Amino acid sequence: MKYTLLLLFFFSQALAFAHSPAASKLQALNLKPLEQTQADRSDSSYLKLQDEAVDALTNAVAEAVKNPQDEILIDEIFRVSIVLLNTDPYQYAGEILVPLYQKQQNLFLKHLKKFSTKDAQRIKEAVKAAERTLRRGNG
């Protein structure tokens, strides 16, 4: 009985630290080539990596809207978004983050405090611009 309770305790602790497959996918992305300022942005491997990051981010945001308690997932969403926003002149990551911002605004702003002021400001501006475009149209 004692060992059973001990086993259940450790199993419950392991589940508490488990995170979603979407977070694992974001963590597995190698974003170093995207962060390089000298990178050839027309190179097919660069574009493929950027597409993979956008797809993983889109899936992760959909998962975070359904499961807002996964803090690791939300932190990874912001980490990948920062890299994408720094490299993408169209700021598409801002559009991807809009559903999370609209449905979990308090949580969104709470997690932004974990990042530098510059990065948090970049995310806020991109999300607000994307939200404004969705509301009013482009123009």
Side-chain angles (χ1 to χ4, degrees), residues 4-138:
T4 305
L5 290 175
L6 192 58
L7 181 65
L8 285 174
F9 173 75
F10 285 120
F11 184 69
S12 66
Q13 293 301 314
L15 285 177
F17 289 108
H19 49 274
S20 69
S24 298
K25 176 92 171 156
L26 289 177
Q27 288 173 337
L29 288 173
N30 178 18
L31 299 175
K32 293 290 183 208
L34 293 180
E35 295 172 340
Q36 296 174 354
T37 57
Q38 307 289 329
D40 179 13
R41 297 197 171 152
S42 63
D43 181 35
S44 64
S45 64
Y46 180 89
L47 295 174
K48 183 179 178 189
L49 178 60
Q50 191 174 28
D51 287 344
E52 287 176 17
V54 166
D55 290 342
L57 185 62
T58 304
N59 293 336
V61 168
E63 178 71 28
V65 168
K66 294 177 194 170
N67 183 15
Q69 294 82 16
D70 192 347
E71 294 192 9
I72 293 171
L73 176 62
I74 296 173
D75 290 341
E76 285 299 311
I77 287 171
F78 286 142
R79 182 185 67 82
V80 172
S81 296
I82 289 166
V83 172
L84 289 174
L85 288 171
N86 288 333
T87 60
D88 180 18
Y90 301 106
Q91 306 291 297
Y92 185 57
E95 290 181 38
I96 296 170
L97 292 174
V98 168
L100 182 62
Y101 178 75
Q102 289 176 336
K103 294 202 167 73
Q104 302 292 336
Q105 190 169 10
N106 291 336
L107 183 70
F108 187 94
L109 297 173
K110 178 183 131 191
H111 278 275
L112 269 184
K113 293 178 184 175
K114 296 179 181 180
F115 295 91
S116 71
T117 307
K118 178 184 167 191
D119 291 339
Q121 189 65 30
R122 186 180 264 304
I123 288 176
K124 280 183 196 175
E125 288 173 2
V127 169
K128 289 189 185 232
E131 187 180 39
R132 185 174 45 250
T133 301
L134 289 172
R135 217 175 345 153
R136 297 184 189 162
N138 190 14

